[in-house]
């Protein structure tokens, strides 16, 4: 299974779409949004850093689903089924790959915040933010897998992109929700992305994530998780 | 490995329709059939990629998926496309790592003739190169049974010879090999045993020579009288061919372009009878080719094409 993880991580890192969309874009957007027009205050530099790291992590997590859809069409999943690897290990290997490949986005944006934008936090805070964003990306990996096991490679790409944009904007990862019209501002706290970013911003503000944030994320986790399981069962009959 | 009364249907199509087949350790067997005859479905069942609706399939006494899990099986699938963003060496090394007792990666690359482009990415190879990589993937686990679905479809002549050399070397080590093909000559040259599949059933099973014999001893061809004349003479030709079907040894008659082709179990008796009737014109006697054998086997009692071959066809 470690062999599969190594192979799949290599394949992901060689995917230009992944590197540009999942790592380069969030960093560039973060630096632009916080430095254009005279620069932002310290609070927004930090909040936007967490938001963009969350955005990058979500993009990378969804990408795992795109990779699954691609593997279904190329016959790679079929090829794996005639190796001695058990299906359980194949799925576990894929999930671990997803977990590893969200890290570059998180690390890159946090590094840009600390090194370029001068965000100052305790070492404990940095570590906690990175770990929370890493764990918080699991629901999005499951959403991507649900799409990837259900849809064709092309459709998965489009659906993932739409999910990514809608969730990023509605959750306030790009712009703070205070700028939203009232109706969107009232919806935003129920989105997984808003609460995902909140995991990080509360740590940056010096306190633990709220129970509300965890509760909303757990709800989304179970929803996306069930979606992934149902899609996988459907696909298993045809792969 | 064995199939016992295996059936796999897709809607109304019975792709595998009651196959009984027993293959012993160390045999090299060709699964021969036209496109859509059920070869690939049978292979899917054998690899545990699909389950039979009825009957059973066993590989080394186990359910196929378990045999695969135990590393006893290596396979080369027909429809597999290149895995994106992986080099040849990485892929083969990865697959080797999943087997309990693989052969050295370099050895598998060498045997499949892909050492030269081990560092190249799979999605940048030609069709023939990619096919050779799939052979390396099937070999590298050093499995007891190797299953190859149309292994030479994309290969040029030279690569084809190299491929069969490597395959025979593998078989000589006591490994069981099953390959599917629709090239008769390939099956004849490389397999101990040919299993002919048609419409999901096994229609013949034996060596190439036995299949030739099964198809009838030979082929006798001759020009029909008045075949170069017009309408009325054509009727005479028809009458002629009707008489031909009753000659000793003749199994079937086919008339095309004024020339009759008789498939016969006993060419000698047929020729003597023809001479007696004074019908010997442009006579030609040939042993049944493997192609003839194959066509005879795959269409003899079929509901769609069978009648065309055994009935008379006056021109």
């Amino acid at each position: 299974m470690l062999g599969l993880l190594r192979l799949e991580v290599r394949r992901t890192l060689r995917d230009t779409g992944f590197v540009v969309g999942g790592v380069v874009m969030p960093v560039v957007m973060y630096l632009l949004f916080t430095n254009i027009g005279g620069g932002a205050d310290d609070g927004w530099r930090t909040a936007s850093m967490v938001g963009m790291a969350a955005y990058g992590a979500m993009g990378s997590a969804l990408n795992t689903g795109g990779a699954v859809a691609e593997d279904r069409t190329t016959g790679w999943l079929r090829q794996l089924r005639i190796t001695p690897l058990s299906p359980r290990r194949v799925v576990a290997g894929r999930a671990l790959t997803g977990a590893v490949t969200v890290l570059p986005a998180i690390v890159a944006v946090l590094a840009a915040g600390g090194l370029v934008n001068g965000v100052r936090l305790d070492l404990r805070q940095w570590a906690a933010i990175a770990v929370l964003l890493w764990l918080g990306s699991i629901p999005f990996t499951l959403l991507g897998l649900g799409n990837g096991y259900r849809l064709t490679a092309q459709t998965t790409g489009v659906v993932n992109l739409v999910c990514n944009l809608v969730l990023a904007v509605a959750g306030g990862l790009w712009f703070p929700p205070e700028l939203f019209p009232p109706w969107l501002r009232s919806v935003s706290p129920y989105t997984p992305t808003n609460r995902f970013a909140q995991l990080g911003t509360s740590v940056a503000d010096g306190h633990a994530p709220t129970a509300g944030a965890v509760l909303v994320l757990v709800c989304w986790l179970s929803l996306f998780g069930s979606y992934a399981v149902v899609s996988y069962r459907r696909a298993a009959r045809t792969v | 490995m064995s199939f016992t009364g295996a059936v796999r249907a897709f809607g109304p199509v019975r792709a595998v329709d009651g196959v009984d087949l027993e293959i012993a350790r160390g045999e090299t067997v060709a699964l021969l059939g036209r496109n859509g005859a059920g070869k690939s479905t049978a292979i899917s069942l054998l690899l545990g990629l699909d389950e039979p609706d009825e009957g059973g399939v066993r590989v080394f006494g186990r359910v196929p998926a378990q045999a695969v899990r135990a590393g006893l099986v290596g396979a080369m699938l027909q429809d597999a496309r290149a895995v994106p963003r992986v080099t040849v060496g990485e892929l083969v090394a990865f697959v080797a790592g999943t087997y309990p007792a693989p052969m050295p990666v370099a050895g598998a690359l060498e045997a499949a003739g892909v050492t030269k482009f081990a560092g190249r990415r799979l999605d940048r190879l030609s069709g023939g190169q990619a096919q050779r990589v799939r052979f390396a993937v099937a070999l590298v686990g050093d499995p007891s049974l190797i299953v190859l679905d149309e292994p030479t479809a994309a290969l040029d002549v030279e690569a084809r010879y190299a491929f069969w050399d490597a395959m025979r070397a593998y078989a000589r080590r006591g490994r069981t090999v099953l390959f599917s093909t629709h090239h008769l000559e390939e099956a004849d040259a490389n397999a101990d045993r040919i299993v002919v599949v048609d419409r999901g059933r096994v229609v013949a099973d034996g060596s190439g020579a036995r299949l030739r014999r099964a198809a009838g001893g030979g082929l006798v061809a001759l020009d029909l009288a008045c075949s170069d004349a017009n309408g009325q003479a054509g009727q005479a030709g028809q009458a002629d061919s009707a008489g031909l079907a009753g000659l000793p040894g003749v199994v079937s008659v086919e008339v095309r372009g004024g020339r009759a082709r008789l498939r016969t179990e006993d060419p000698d008796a047929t020729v003597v009878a023809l001479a007696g009737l004074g019908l010997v014109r442009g006579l030609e006697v040939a042993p049944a080719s493997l192609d003839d054998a194959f066509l005879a086997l795959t269409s003899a009692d079929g509901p769609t094409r069978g009648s065309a071959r055994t009935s008379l066809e006056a021109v």
Side-chain angles (χ1 to χ4, degrees):
Chain A
M1 200 172 68
L2 284 179
L4 182 61
L5 176 65
R6 201 162 50 226
L7 189 81
E8 295 294 357
V9 168
R10 268 188 188 152
R11 287 183 57 209
T12 310
L13 295 180
R14 280 178 193 157
D15 182 353
T16 330
F18 167 80
V19 174
V20 172
V23 184
V24 176
M25 277 281 283
V27 172
V28 170
M29 284 170 73
Y30 169 58
L31 294 177
L32 275 179
F33 286 12
T34 49
N35 289 296
I36 262 175
D41 59 53
D42 281 354
W44 177 233
R45 276 167 194 264
T46 308
S48 175
M49 173 183 78
V50 173
M52 282 302 167
Y55 169 63
M58 173 172 63
S60 307
L62 288 171
N63 182 76
T64 306
V68 164
E70 183 186 63
D71 290 350
R72 279 172 53 225
T73 32
T74 56
W76 174 231
L77 289 187
R78 220 173 141 79
Q79 185 74 44
L80 284 173
R81 275 183 63 187
I82 53 173
T83 67
L85 279 181
S86 69
R88 201 182 296 260
R89 276 160 179 269
V90 171
V91 173
R94 174 51 84 189
L96 277 178
T97 308
V100 171
T101 53
V102 297
L103 288 173
I106 297 173
V107 170
V109 177
L110 295 188
L115 300 175
V116 182
N117 271 1
V119 174
R120 291 287 165 261
L121 296 169
D122 297 348
L123 195 62
R124 277 223 324 268
Q125 281 174 308
W126 284 115
I129 291 174
V131 169
L132 285 172
L133 289 180
W134 185 49
L135 291 176
S137 68
I138 294 171
F140 304 102
T141 306
L142 293 171
L143 172 62
L145 288 177
N147 291 336
Y149 275 115
R150 175 172 298 254
L151 309 170
T152 65
Q154 256 184 334
T155 325
T156 302
V158 174
V159 171
N160 279 348
L161 190 72
V162 171
C163 289
N164 198 8
L165 291 181
V166 170
L167 289 174
V169 171
L173 301 187
W174 289 359
F175 311 103
E178 294 81 60
L179 304 178
F180 289 168
W183 66 269
L184 189 54
R185 205 182 316 161
S186 60
V187 172
S188 198
Y190 298 100
T191 60
T193 29
N194 180 272
R195 299 302 189 148
F196 178 32
Q198 216 183 43
L199 294 179
T201 46
S202 18
V203 171
D205 292 342
H207 49 83
T210 63
V214 174
L215 183 70
V216 170
L217 276 175
V218 167
C219 287
W220 284 105
L221 175 74
S222 56
L223 181 73
F224 291 154
S226 318
Y227 174 57
V229 168
V230 171
S231 296
Y232 174 75
R233 289 219 177 111
R234 225 170 70 156
R237 276 179 265 138
T238 53
V239 164
Chain B
M1 50 139 277
S2 67
F3 283 76
T4 24
V7 173
R8 178 71 177 106
F10 299 99
V13 181
R14 290 167 82 90
V16 168
D17 190 7
V19 167
D20 286 293
L21 187 62
E22 192 86 33
I23 294 176
R25 235 173 234 270
E27 273 190 298
T28 299
V29 178
L31 205 55
L32 180 67
R34 289 178 286 141
N35 287 331
K39 302 186 297 281
S40 291
T41 307
I43 284 178
S44 290
L45 295 178
L46 185 62
L47 296 175
L49 289 172
D50 200 356
E51 308 249 322
D53 300 324
E54 292 166 37
V57 181
R58 285 285 179 283
V59 178
F60 301 114
R62 312 179 195 204
V63 173
Q66 282 172 8
V68 169
R69 198 77 26 90
L72 297 170
V73 184
M76 179 171 166
L77 296 176
Q78 186 192 352
D79 49 4
R81 284 195 273 147
V83 194
R85 303 182 299 280
V86 176
T87 69
V88 173
E90 285 167 359
L91 177 71
V92 176
F94 158 70
V95 173
T98 65
Y99 281 83
M103 61 166 73
V105 172
L109 295 174
E110 183 66 43
V114 296
T115 310
K116 264 184 304 188
F117 37 87
R120 289 253 290 279
R121 274 166 58 166
L122 254 89
D123 40 10
R124 295 180 186 158
L125 299 180
S126 75
Q129 290 170 330
Q131 195 157 24
R132 280 190 270 167
V133 172
R134 291 209 293 280
F135 182 49
V137 165
L139 278 181
V140 74
D142 202 14
S144 307
L145 167 69
I146 193 165
V147 179
L148 313 163
D149 197 0
E150 311 246 340
T152 58
L155 298 183
D156 57 30
V157 179
E158 198 184 338
R160 210 169 267 231
Y161 278 112
F163 167 81
W164 289 118
D165 280 347
M167 203 248 3
R168 280 195 298 263
Y170 197 78
R172 270 198 299 277
R173 294 169 47 205
R175 307 304 190 191
T176 314
V177 179
L178 177 79
F179 67 90
S180 76
T181 179
H182 48 241
H183 293 297
L184 306 150
E185 308 313 326
E186 254 181 24
D188 196 26
N190 299 294
D192 308 328
R193 179 175 157 200
I194 302 177
V195 174
V196 183
V197 182
D198 193 48
R199 293 184 201 89
R201 291 172 174 276
V202 173
V203 294
D205 186 347
S207 66
R210 216 180 113 189
L211 293 191
R212 280 198 195 87
R213 280 200 301 277
L219 216 64
V220 175
L222 70 157
D223 290 327
L224 292 176
C226 317
S227 59
D228 50 348
N230 43 30
Q232 237 181 342
Q235 277 185 353
Q238 195 166 13
D240 260 359
S241 61
L244 295 175
L247 293 178
V250 173
V251 220
S252 71
V253 180
E254 200 186 303
V255 182
R256 216 167 269 166
R259 198 164 166 79
R261 292 159 61 82
L262 318 181
R263 195 182 302 284
T264 166
E265 285 167 348
D266 187 348
D268 297 341
T270 307
V271 171
V272 169
L274 282 171
L277 292 171
L279 288 175
V280 176
R281 268 180 295 270
L283 186 76
E284 199 180 358
V285 181
S289 72
L290 205 55
D291 282 312
D292 291 322
F294 178 67
L295 288 173
L297 286 166
T298 56
S299 52
D301 49 3
T304 48
R305 301 182 37 186
S307 56
R309 192 145 289 275
T310 39
S311 74
L312 308 182
E313 194 184 317
V315 178

